[in-house]
Amino acid sequence: VMAAIHEPGPEGDSRNYHVHLLMTTRVVGANGMGVKVRVLDDKVSGPMEVAKLREWVAVATNQHLVGAGFEDRVDHRTLGEQAG
């Protein structure tokens, strides 16, 4: 996984610190990279899989923040979902 951490832009919401996580879509095994997983290409299952991955990352991140004694938490939902 590669992480790209971004600060808020000068014209944007000053709270909008966020990260983009880039993950392979290939099977990773003992012999390295394997075949590409196609479940994310499906117009129905793809967005649902991505939403579940985002939620899983948020849960794991928040568990580690608690364990490290931080009060901050991350939210996997889009800003629109959070506002609603």
Side-chain angles (χ1 to χ4, degrees):
V1 176
M2 183 172 74
I5 302 170
H6 295 270
E7 293 180 339
E11 288 90 35
D13 186 331
S14 63
R15 301 167 295 172
N16 191 22
Y17 288 87
H18 61 280
V19 63
H20 297 267
L21 299 176
L22 304 149
M23 300 179 221
T24 184
T25 56
R26 296 191 175 272
V27 174
V28 180
N31 296 323
M33 301 289 232
V35 299
K36 184 171 176 163
V37 176
R38 296 290 178 184
V39 67
L40 299 177
D41 296 339
D42 185 273
K43 301 289 186 211
V44 175
S45 66
M48 291 187 307
E49 292 290 330
V50 170
K52 281 297 187 189
L53 283 168
R54 288 173 58 116
E55 182 178 6
W56 179 82
V57 168
V59 167
T61 301
N62 287 332
Q63 288 172 345
H64 286 283
L65 287 169
V66 168
F70 289 96
E71 292 183 17
D72 296 319
R73 299 294 177 266
V74 299
D75 193 322
H76 66 284
R77 298 171 299 160
T78 66
L79 291 176
E81 290 170 334
Q82 291 176 47

